[in-house]
Amino acid sequence: MSTDQSTPLAAGKDSAPPPGHKRGWGGWIAGAALAAFALFFIANCRVALDPRVANPNVHGRPRPVKFIFGLDYIDFLDAATVVALIVLLVVFIRGWRRHPGSPVMLMFLCTTLIVWQDPIMNWSPFAVYNPDLIHWPESWPLVSLSPSVEPFVVFGYVMFYFGPYFPAIWILRKLQAKYGPTSFVSRHPLVSLGLLALAIGFVFDAWLEIQLVHTGMYIYSQVIPWGSIFTGTTFQFPLIWESFSVCFVMVPAAILCYRDDTGKSVAEKLTAKAKILPSRPVLGTFLVMFAIMNVSYFAYGGWFWVIKVSHAATSAACPWPYPEAKVYDPQGFYEKAGAQGPYSVGIWSTWASGEPNGRPHVQAPPPGQGACEPARTNG
């Protein structure tokens, strides 16, 4: 029996509520929580900069570099995020009502909720967001870990981290149907799905992030010169390092949702084997997924943390594109390249950044020799 034959039957059997079934209070509670969270964000969001981040020597928000086509994309990015979140919410509600407890819907939720880690994952790879984006107050403890601001747009990350699963599983089903049960893709479906998600995720991430960096949404302020592209410019991108490591999240997200011939997903089988909340299998599956996805996301951050503390990310993004904010320079590479201060070291700036004694004192280059000098930027 092929998987694509058994899955719809199992899904339909497990998902359809019995006649006369009444939905509980869970949906109302979730809706109220979502509404409360949205109101909380609206009441606290801002575009103004906290003194910890703001450059007091700059008025307004000048841009020393032009973004793609010379346009300002911030309003578009904020508006597109609102539209995308509304669409995602509708998709999730309809999907959950049709298939309550579906592993795909649970993973949809998990890859949304892991954004609580996003400030850490901005700090680790030197990801500096445009201060013009609508963001949380920079003074909040977790939020303050971000090198600049923690923006609203991250709530749409489910499309990014879970998106590759859908073309990957479609391709896998086609290959299984074409080559039969004795083929490699049928005998090793998890390996095959993981490799497909890795390939698709790498290409998808590279294409998407290169575009977003060129719109000015964010920059990678420091990267390893080898394996990166556009190095030394505002638009530098750690191609191998970033596009490979995001698959630490994409690949397990895909594998956990794979259903075999029994109609059970990998996540459901792990939950049953571990005997986690056997009387509440959907909740148990969610907790297993959420734990694995958080560990996977921490692995992504750990990968870049090793790069950070090794001081291998020596290429600074010049010119610094956000003069209204202090230059994020915890290791002194911007000052060494001639960038004009003031400088910001951010949170976790000592041992966590490979600088146990704090930001080092470096010698600025002679006039006219610094890659980040204002004169060169404007000249």
Side-chain angles (χ1 to χ4, degrees), residues 72-84 129-130 133-134 152-153 211-213 215-218:
D72 184 347
Y73 295 88
I74 297 303
D75 290 340
F76 169 77
L77 291 169
D78 285 332
T81 302
V82 173
V83 173
Y129 275 89
N130 193 322
L133 291 166
I134 295 175
F152 173 58
V153 298
Q211 307 308 313
L212 293 177
V213 169
T215 65
M217 179 176 167
Y218 59 94

Side-chain angles (χ1 to χ4, degrees), residues 8 20 44 57 76 108 142 171 176 214 234 273 278 302 304 312 371:
N44 290 281
N57 303 322
F76 169 77
F108 190 112
L142 179 61
I171 293 172
Q176 289 174 331
H214 277 78
T234 301
K273 187 174 183 180
F304 274 107

Side-chain angles (χ1 to χ4, degrees), residues 247-301:
C247 295
F248 295 172
V249 180
M250 295 176 176
V251 170
I255 290 175
L256 286 170
C257 290
Y258 178 81
R259 292 179 184 266
D260 63 11
D261 287 347
T262 67
K264 294 294 183 181
S265 68
V266 170
E268 290 171 310
K269 287 190 167 186
L270 288 174
T271 304
K273 187 174 183 180
K275 299 180 180 179
I276 298 175
L277 298 176
S279 62
R280 303 293 297 274
V282 174
L283 178 58
T285 301
F286 168 77
L287 293 176
V288 168
M289 282 183 164
F290 191 60
I292 292 174
M293 297 314 299
N294 273 278
V295 171
S296 301
Y297 206 14
F298 271 120
Y300 164 86

Side-chain angles (χ1 to χ4, degrees), residues 92-177:
F92 178 78
I93 292 173
R94 294 193 64 179
W96 188 267
R97 289 174 66 88
R98 291 181 178 181
H99 306 290
S102 163
V104 171
M105 292 295 102
L106 292 176
M107 184 56 70
F108 190 112
L109 191 58
C110 287
T111 47
T112 298
L113 295 178
I114 61 170
V115 298
W116 76 266
Q117 292 189 43
D118 191 65
I120 304 171
M121 303 314 161
N122 293 335
W123 167 82
S124 184
F126 298 98
V128 182
Y129 275 89
N130 193 322
D132 276 342
L133 291 166
I134 295 175
H135 56 269
W136 295 99
E138 301 94 311
S139 59
W140 289 7
L142 179 61
V143 173
S144 66
L145 295 177
S146 282
S148 56
V149 300
E150 181 59 26
F152 173 58
V153 298
V154 301
F155 292 116
Y157 273 8
V158 57
M159 297 183 292
F160 177 66
Y161 286 122
F162 195 31
Y165 161 76
F166 297 97
I169 192 65
W170 181 83
I171 293 172
L172 178 64
R173 297 303 189 203
K174 291 293 184 182
L175 292 175
Q176 289 174 331

Side-chain angles (χ1 to χ4, degrees), residues 157-236:
Y157 273 8
V158 57
M159 297 183 292
F160 177 66
Y161 286 122
F162 195 31
Y165 161 76
F166 297 97
I169 192 65
W170 181 83
I171 293 172
L172 178 64
R173 297 303 189 203
K174 291 293 184 182
L175 292 175
Q176 289 174 331
K178 181 176 181 180
Y179 295 106
T182 61
S183 64
F184 179 88
V185 291
S186 294
R187 289 183 292 108
H188 304 283
L190 300 185
V191 173
S192 301
L193 181 60
L195 291 174
L196 285 168
L198 175 64
I200 294 170
F202 186 98
V203 173
F204 175 57
D205 173 79
W207 174 83
L208 179 63
E209 289 210 58
I210 290 170
Q211 307 308 313
L212 293 177
V213 169
H214 277 78
T215 65
M217 179 176 167
Y218 59 94
I219 63 168
Y220 287 94
S221 62
Q222 290 177 222
V223 300
I224 300 180
W226 184 84
S228 302
I229 57 177
F230 310 118
T231 52
T233 73
T234 301
F235 309 112
Q236 63 182 13

Side-chain angles (χ1 to χ4, degrees), residues 20-42:
H21 173 76
K22 294 183 179 180
R23 299 186 182 274
W25 290 95
W28 291 103
I29 294 173
L34 179 63
F37 181 81
L39 291 173
F40 179 73
F41 178 80
I42 292 171

